[in-house]
Amino acid sequence: MHALFRPIGHALPANPQWWPGILLSLGAGALFYGAAARSIETDARQRFSNHARTAQFSIASRIKTYSDVLRAAASFFQANDYTPRDSFQRFVHGLDLQHNFPAIDNINFAQFVRDAERDGFERAMRDSDARLEGYPDFNILPATRRPTYEILTLLEPIAGFGEKYGNDITAKAHVAAVMAHSRDTGEIASSGRPIGILARPIGADLGMRLPVYRRDMPTDTVPQRRAAYMGSVGIGFSVPRLLQGALDEMPVPNVRLQLYDVGRRGADGTTTLGDSRLLLFDSVDTGRVDAPTETFQHMLPIDFNGRIWTAYFSAPKAALYSRLDAYLPWLAGLAGSVSCLLLYALFHTLASSRKRALKIAHAMTRELRDSQAKLQLSHQRLRRLAAHADQIKEEERKRIAREIHDDLGQNLLALRIEADILATRTAKRHPYLHARAKYTLNQIDNTIRSVRHIINDLRPNVLDLGLNAAVEWQVAQFRKRSGIACELIEHGGDVDIDDRCATAFFRVLQESLSNICQHARATQVKVELHQQQGLLQMSITDNGVGLQAASRNKSGSFGLVGIEERINLLGGTCAISSVPDGGTTITVSVPVSYKGALMPFIGQFAEH
């Protein structure tokens, strides 16, 4: 490592080959710095957008809650034709506005009065006990005569809002238009204009109103709603308190929120109608606080009962950056420069040692080829070993089967003859001895059958009669043991091959039928055996469930592998085809002249 950096430390000013590396490292550092800065800014902007959407949802939820309070108050007035002040006062007191709805200043009711009813209505109100309940003297304001009035007669809490008592809210033309539309549609109304209250700063309060109809009159059509109209219930709420609660929930400091009313929503749900853009709230006093030069900004719409509010959120970028964010671009730039310089040094070193690398590559290529040749030779030796072992195993099976047949079979036969003679002679005179002799005779018969089964498992004697006879015998045994229909088709008459090839074909058939019986769940099996044009071929086909994709490579499963290896040792080919739920076909073929190609290898291995 010291040798790697020694040229950089001592020869950099005088060695021009390092200047490209220095320039590349500086460029890479600038790219890393820019990428890290953009990534941090994008992440901070996204977090700010998410916080702004959370605040938007919080504001919309509060508006929805206050709208529900307004609907509850309207239902309270519609329940009775006349609502006493003390009942209304208890209703509002039960809502506990200060704790549950802190932005709501008051809930009020404006009664609809025609001009012909004005004088009598004023006298009735002045004769009431309003003064005892904290209400001021009743006077309709403004005092000018109009065809209709909507006069505030109930306000709770009244403290701080006494100047609104007796006011005709429809005296202003834009309010009258909004209330007429609300009366005809039954929807919540808001003019979008701030409510002027002496004890409040200008623009600090807004109102929502909902029409109230007489409960015993229909309200299906506009004329019916106008006839049943008895007034409207409304709430006045503080915009700063409504919005400040949402701002306080944002985890970002120094967030500025500007709220504008841009008009009523159009019939298509997207356009706005009527009013011009009006500032309702600004969380920062621009006259006293300097706006930061670099800020994140996000604009979101808010639906205020048919009116469109636009909320502009802005916050200084520094408020969303952590301490690590300030240093991370520089660290990324430094890491990029150092990494690029190290890579340049590495490539320079590699380029200077190219010849040595080529020599090493050539040496490794030679070693790889030698290893591959050794591996192929080892593979051939293993195959010859497997062929020799298989030949020895078959010969040993044949020897053991013959010894069992010649020695044990003859002894059992002689023993059975003696037992049969004993059973015959004791049949009349010694019943008990006769029964024991018959039992012994049955045991000997069972032993003879077991011995025959063992001999057939080791090497069926029927193989001495040729491959055709052995295949017929194995198919018959398969039908008998499994109960599966098995068809044997032979072409070309008897097959003339040596004992080793016949044994291999027989073992392939035996293994295939065993697999079908255990796994295939087949109902039909077809075995074809034919010899033509110097090629011996056998195919086993079933209509079972087929082979799974991984069954051939399953750990501990050597049946199919053994079939393929047996045929390969004979110089033949093995093809296995399967369709899911469509059965499996195993086809093996061996040239009749295989002996000339394989037997020298087996003999060579046997000599070693």
Side-chain angles (χ1 to χ4, degrees), residues 287-334:
R288 293 184 299 172
V289 178
D290 295 332
T293 56
E294 295 186 353
T295 60
F296 291 121
Q297 296 182 359
H298 198 74
M299 186 272 288
L300 293 171
I302 299 175
D303 185 7
F304 179 63
N305 296 307
R307 299 193 69 83
I308 303 299
W309 285 357
T310 303
Y312 293 89
F313 295 89
S314 61
K317 292 184 177 181
L320 286 101
Y321 292 158
S322 63
R323 292 183 178 179
L324 179 61
D325 293 338
Y327 297 103
L328 188 59
W330 293 102
L331 294 175
L334 180 60

Side-chain angles (χ1 to χ4, degrees), residues 9 30 69 77 96 123 126 133 139 142 204 298 316 377 399 506:
V69 172
F77 278 96
D96 194 7
R123 287 193 298 270
R126 288 170 182 169
E133 299 174 3
N139 290 295
H298 198 74
L377 180 61
R399 184 188 63 80
F506 179 78

Side-chain angles (χ1 to χ4, degrees), residues 67-330:
S67 300
D68 292 340
V69 172
L70 182 62
R71 289 187 175 90
S75 300
F76 174 77
F77 278 96
Q78 285 178 338
N80 301 286
D81 292 335
Y82 171 73
T83 302
R85 288 191 179 94
D86 55 349
S87 297
F88 179 64
Q89 187 177 31
R90 288 194 299 271
F91 171 77
V92 176
H93 181 74
L95 293 177
D96 194 7
L97 300 179
Q98 183 177 0
H99 294 91
N100 297 326
F101 312 98
I104 297 180
D105 290 324
N106 69 83
I107 303 177
N108 56 77
F109 176 74
Q111 186 168 342
F112 176 72
V113 179
R114 293 181 175 82
D115 187 57
E117 303 169 350
R118 171 173 174 165
D119 296 335
F121 177 74
E122 278 189 298
R123 287 193 298 270
M125 290 298 297
R126 288 170 182 169
D127 293 340
S128 67
D129 56 350
R131 186 186 301 273
L132 298 177
E133 299 174 3
Y135 284 76
D137 293 334
F138 181 79
N139 290 295
I140 297 177
L141 299 174
T144 56
R145 308 289 292 201
R146 291 171 296 281
T148 58
Y149 309 85
E150 287 198 31
I151 304 168
L152 292 173
T153 58
L154 295 174
L155 294 96
E156 289 295 338
I158 190 63
F161 301 95
E163 76 274 7
K164 294 295 182 180
Y165 181 61
N167 281 11
D168 178 14
I169 61 175
T170 58
K172 297 179 180 179
H174 69 279
V175 178
V178 172
M179 293 307 302
H181 180 268
S182 176
R183 174 199 63 197
D184 294 342
T185 60
E187 299 175 352
I188 295 178
S190 175
S191 65
R193 304 289 181 86
I195 301 173
I197 302 175
L198 296 178
R200 304 280 182 180
I202 298 176
D205 287 66
L206 287 177
M208 294 188 295
R209 305 202 70 81
L210 186 65
V212 179
Y213 304 99
R214 293 180 175 84
R215 60 175 181 170
D216 55 349
M217 297 182 66
T219 58
D220 298 330
T221 63
V222 173
Q224 290 176 348
R225 284 193 284 270
R226 290 179 179 178
Y229 186 64
M230 59 182 292
S232 63
V233 62
I235 62 172
F237 61 91
S238 171
V239 177
R241 290 203 301 272
L242 173 69
L243 302 181
Q244 194 62 45
L247 285 178
D248 292 341
E249 295 175 356
M250 294 185 69
V252 181
N254 302 324
V255 177
R256 181 179 183 180
L257 171 59
Q258 293 173 296
L259 185 68
Y260 292 89
D261 184 293
V262 297
R264 290 183 290 109
R265 185 184 297 275
D268 58 358
T270 57
T271 59
T272 55
L273 304 175
D275 306 328
S276 60
R277 173 169 152 148
L278 177 64
L279 178 64
L280 298 178
F281 175 76
D282 191 342
S283 61
V284 176
D285 186 357
T286 56
R288 293 184 299 172
V289 178
D290 295 332
T293 56
E294 295 186 353
T295 60
F296 291 121
Q297 296 182 359
H298 198 74
M299 186 272 288
L300 293 171
I302 299 175
D303 185 7
F304 179 63
N305 296 307
R307 299 193 69 83
I308 303 299
W309 285 357
T310 303
Y312 293 89
F313 295 89
S314 61
K317 292 184 177 181
L320 286 101
Y321 292 158
S322 63
R323 292 183 178 179
L324 179 61
D325 293 338
Y327 297 103
L328 188 59
W330 293 102

Side-chain angles (χ1 to χ4, degrees), residues 44-62:
R45 188 184 302 278
Q46 184 61 41
R47 283 188 282 112
F48 179 70
S49 298
N50 293 337
H51 294 324
R53 290 190 181 92
T54 302
Q56 175 200 27
F57 177 76
S58 177
I59 295 171
S61 299
R62 292 165 188 258

